[in-house]
Each structure stands twice: as structure tokens, then as C-alpha cells.
Amino acid sequence: MALFLFFSILLGILTHAVVHGFEQQANALSSGSCERACDILHSQFGDALHYPNNDPGFVLWDAKQNEVRYACRIEPESSADVAAVLSLLVNEWCRFGVKGGGHSRYPDDSNSVGGVTIDLNRLNTVELLNNSSRMRVGAGATGSQVYDALEPYGLAFVGPRTGTVGVGGFTLGGGTSAVTAEYGWALDNVFEYEVVLANATVVTVNEDQHPDLYFALRGGANNFGIVTYFQLRVFAQGPVLDLDRSYDPNVTDIFLKEAYDIFSVQDTNPQVGFESVFTYIPQQNRFLLRGTQRYAQPVRNPPVFERLNRIPFQSESGGIGTLASFARSNAPLGRSRYLFNTITHYPSPELSKRAFQILRQEVQSVANITGFSANLISYSIPARAISRMQERGGNALGINVKGHLILNNLSLAWAHAADDEQVRLFAARFLQRYQVAARELGLYHPFVYVNYADKGQDVFSSYGERNKRRLIEIQRSVDPMGVFTSKGLWRGFFKLL
């Protein structure tokens, strides 16, 4: 026993020394190591390797990421390619970022600061499996690419509302969708992952093979490896209703009452979806209410929206179409800077009304910023979706409540870097006051949705101490060198360690 204890202590000391050594290497990262890595990658991959001075077609959604100066960008075409790239980068101890759709909001998330950007855009295939009940999708595919591939077959999947969002990051973070009431979140519709681990091995991960890693990938984001392929649920889906209406804020009370009634209906009627948006229009220095009605059948006025439709509205857009058509976007990429933050709470029209009031008060501090816009987006996490989170061993999110929750996203945009700090402070004040109001009413829920979170929000603690501890243990087991940690090589997005 004493001998075993001695070797256990020795192993711990050696492990700490090795990890600490790697941390020192990462902190002392030199441009030379990445330049050398880029030269080697160019010799191996040829035209799939790009340098920033000659890469005009590479554009990301957020201007903050667009401004990043990377050493080079590589476009692998297979899991084997990704493994070869990762092996080299670890050997050279060169930092990197991984881009799927590129909708993250900070440098190093999907575009590496001074390192290698691994762009998965060529891993975008969609292959139907199991009599079209499942599909194999490359992690570099966007929502629109998948919707468009499935539409000719009358099929769909739990995908993003905006088609330029990448399937990879969307799914690994959770994946709320227009069809969530029926099918749950995207992470609960993944049957299998193909993952390149830190040691450059390619593994298949599902409920039976590497079940701990399967649990971790369902909400654990980019902390465990580079996911290259997903096996996802596919289902029959024809035309749907997607109708957006705008309202004057003087109808806020009745609008919120009807919105919350519809949120409750979603718990038992999976055909129904609804989102409310409180929008600031800077050109007119005023707010506008918007509501998006969703129904999974081509029905213009389903009874569930009857009372809502009695409220006078100012304008409308959308109507009957397909999930693919509503996801398409022609909005230019890379011109605006973005910030999200998020709060989850139990249902309450009164709390939402307070949030509107807080936003009205706080927005004056940023109203004159060039290109500024603000949207407070709210929708339900339906009870049916929460029940699906317990399937196949459960996911990592830790949500287990009766009834439903309300998920909110404060989405901000602006034009210039000089205003970054002012916008950040505004967003932080709004969130802090919203959280205080939720706690005062006894309605606060700790869950923080990683895909809407801002830097500084404690995502993984919000999953519960037990789940966070389990995620950390899994991370250490598959990545003992800390490649995917905050002191390792891919430091972007939200890190467990």
C-alpha cells in the first residue's frame, strides 16, 4: 500500500511538471514555431494553406474576429487531415483556432491570434443514413447547407434559425431551434461524433463507445477535441408558418400575457413555436416589440395564435415557407461587432416587463454609438425539450425542472472598436440588473447557455457542481497535456480549465 501511495504521489508530481511545462511553452509561444508549422503545412497541403496577405475570401461574421492576424489558415478535407494538422501543431506547440461556421464573437474562438486557423469549411458533406432517419454531417457545414441538402427529400433537422451559423458550434453548445418543442435541442439529436483528440487519434464517440466523452460533448463545447463529423437525427418536414409581426410598445402588457400563454402551450403542443423580441431602433431612438409565430404545418392562422392576432400590429413579414427558406440570409458578414449575454429564468410576464424597463433606462448610455442596435430575444425551453435532455445518458447542461424555462439573449451590434468597452459596460449593467430583478421575484435559474454567453459568464458552473466536476475529469482524461485548455493551444470560446 505504501509503495502504491509513493508511486501515485510520484505520478502526480510528474504529471504536474509535464502540464506546467506545457503551460510555460504555451505562454512563451513564439511566432517562429507557428511560422515553421505553416511552412510544413504548406509543403504538405499546398493550395489548402493560405497566408493572411493573400486570403481575401476569408470573412467571418464578427468584425472583431475578422481583424485577427493569423499566421496561416489551413483547410483540411478529412478527419485524417485534421489529425495530421493537429499532430504538427502540438509537436511545434503552436496555438490554433478552429472555424466551423465562424459565428463566434471573440478572437481565438474560430480565428487564431498569431497561430493557425483550422478552417473546416471543406468538411461540409451531408450523407443520409438509416433509411433517411439519420445523416452524417461534416462539422464545417452551415445550417443553410444542411437545410438545402435535405429540402428536396422533404426532410429537416434540428438546426439553427440563421443559416450562416455553423452546425458544429451550434450543436456542441446546445442548439436551440425553431423545432425544439418537438425534437428538443440539437445536442440531444446527436447519435454519434467523430472526434480528433489531442494526441491526434480519430475516435468514434456514441452511447456505447466512449460514453463519458459522449456525455461531455453534449454541452461541453470545444474542450475535448476537434469534432469533424456528427451523426444527427433527420425527420420529415414540409412547409411551415414563420410569421414576424411588429407592435407598438404600448401593447406590452397584453403582448406579454399572450406570449407567455403560447410558451405554456408549447409544453403540450410540439407544433407551436414563438419568440418575442424587444428591439431598440437607434435612428428613431425608440423601441419596438416583435413576435415570431412558428407552426410546424402550412397553416396561416392556427388557433393557438388567435388571441395574439387580435392585438393591432404595425408590420409583418414571412408567412408560409420551408425551414430552408426562412434560414437563408443575405446579410453581409464581418461589418459589425457583436456582443451577446444571456439569462435564464422561470416564466413571468412581470419579469420580462421589468427587463424591458431596464433596457430602456440603460440604452441611453450607448444610443449615440455608430451602428448600434439592441435586441432582447426571449423564448421558451419547453418541458418536452427538457425531458429529452435525459435521454441516452443525459447531457451536460444540468437542466432538470418541471414545466419550462425562459431563455433570453441580449444581442448587440455596433461599428467601431473604439466603442467596445462602452458597449461591454452597458451589457454588463443590463445583465446585472436583470439578474437582481429575477432573484427578487424568486424566478432566477442559474443555467447559462454557452452559445449566447459573454466572456465572464460562468457557463460550466451553471451546469451544476457535479456535472462541472465530471466534465473536468473527462477533459483531463482525453487531453492530459491541456491542448484544449485556457493555457493550452486552443484558448478561444469557453474553457473548463
Side-chain angles (χ1 to χ4, degrees), residues 307-318:
R307 292 199 308 271
L308 180 70
N309 287 339
R310 295 174 188 168
I311 302 174
F313 61 91
Q314 296 183 341
S315 64
E316 71 173 26
S317 59

Side-chain angles (χ1 to χ4, degrees), residues 441-464:
L441 294 173
L443 298 167
Y444 180 77
H445 189 280
F447 174 67
V448 177
Y449 179 36
V450 68
N451 284 352
Y452 291 167
D454 192 21
K455 297 293 186 183
Q457 292 196 261
D458 193 352
V459 170
F460 299 113
S461 290
S462 82
Y463 294 3

Side-chain angles (χ1 to χ4, degrees), residues 305-359:
F305 298 120
E306 181 180 355
R307 292 199 308 271
L308 180 70
N309 287 339
R310 295 174 188 168
I311 302 174
F313 61 91
Q314 296 183 341
S315 64
E316 71 173 26
S317 59
I320 304 298
T322 63
L323 291 176
S325 66
F326 290 124
R328 293 184 189 120
S329 173
N330 295 318
L333 302 177
R335 296 186 182 178
S336 293
R337 315 171 80 79
Y338 296 95
L339 184 151
F340 290 175
N341 67 25
T342 184
I343 178 174
T344 306
H345 57 73
Y346 291 92
S348 168
E350 173 60 26
L351 179 55
S352 289
K353 186 177 178 180
R354 286 199 193 184
F356 293 175
Q357 293 168 345
I358 293 167
L359 191 57

Side-chain angles (χ1 to χ4, degrees), residues 188-211:
D188 294 315
N189 287 269
V190 184
F191 297 104
E192 192 167 278
Y193 303 83
E194 190 164 291
V195 189
V196 181
L197 299 179
N199 63 3
T201 59
V202 181
V203 295
T204 297
V205 177
N206 53 45
E207 191 176 1
D208 299 315
Q209 301 178 76
H210 309 288

Side-chain angles (χ1 to χ4, degrees), residues 201-238:
T201 59
V202 181
V203 295
T204 297
V205 177
N206 53 45
E207 191 176 1
D208 299 315
Q209 301 178 76
H210 309 288
D212 280 344
L213 187 52
Y214 179 67
F215 165 85
L217 290 171
R218 294 167 66 189
N222 66 336
N223 286 277
F224 307 95
I226 302 174
V227 176
T228 51
Y229 289 93
F230 300 84
Q231 189 181 119
L232 303 175
R233 185 190 309 275
V234 173
F235 48 86
Q237 181 64 64

Side-chain angles (χ1 to χ4, degrees), residues 15-35:
T15 301
H16 174 78
V18 170
V19 172
H20 183 64
F22 278 117
E23 289 177 1
Q24 288 182 321
Q25 289 184 53
N27 291 330
L29 173 70
S30 68
S31 60
S33 65
C34 288
E35 289 176 2

Side-chain angles (χ1 to χ4, degrees), residues 251-407:
V251 302
T252 293
D253 287 348
I254 184 63
F255 174 87
L256 285 175
K257 177 186 181 303
E258 300 305 335
Y260 272 86
D261 284 349
I262 295 167
F263 291 152
S264 295
V265 169
Q266 283 184 268
D267 288 348
T268 55
N269 185 347
Q271 303 285 302
V272 178
F274 189 74
E275 291 125 47
S276 76
V277 186
F278 194 52
T279 297
Y280 177 64
I281 305 173
Q283 298 86 348
Q284 303 169 18
N285 192 28
R286 71 184 185 96
F287 282 87
L288 195 68
L289 271 173
R290 289 179 19 235
T292 301
Q293 303 177 21
R294 302 186 190 273
Y295 197 69
Q297 300 291 333
V299 179
R300 173 75 184 190
N301 294 300
V304 67
F305 298 120
E306 181 180 355
R307 292 199 308 271
L308 180 70
N309 287 339
R310 295 174 188 168
I311 302 174
F313 61 91
Q314 296 183 341
S315 64
E316 71 173 26
S317 59
I320 304 298
T322 63
L323 291 176
S325 66
F326 290 124
R328 293 184 189 120
S329 173
N330 295 318
L333 302 177
R335 296 186 182 178
S336 293
R337 315 171 80 79
Y338 296 95
L339 184 151
F340 290 175
N341 67 25
T342 184
I343 178 174
T344 306
H345 57 73
Y346 291 92
S348 168
E350 173 60 26
L351 179 55
S352 289
K353 186 177 178 180
R354 286 199 193 184
F356 293 175
Q357 293 168 345
I358 293 167
L359 191 57
R360 281 181 180 276
Q361 294 164 1
E362 294 292 346
V363 81
Q364 297 308 314
S365 67
V366 288
N368 294 324
I369 287 178
T370 302
F372 180 79
S373 66
N375 293 281
L376 178 59
I377 307 163
S378 307
Y379 48 83
S380 170
I381 308 176
R384 290 172 60 94
I386 293 172
S387 68
R388 283 189 175 273
M389 293 181 179
Q390 317 310 316
E391 296 176 357
R392 296 191 304 284
N395 65 40
L397 303 183
I399 301 175
N400 187 13
V401 301
K402 292 183 178 180
H404 64 271
L405 295 169
I406 304 301
L407 180 64

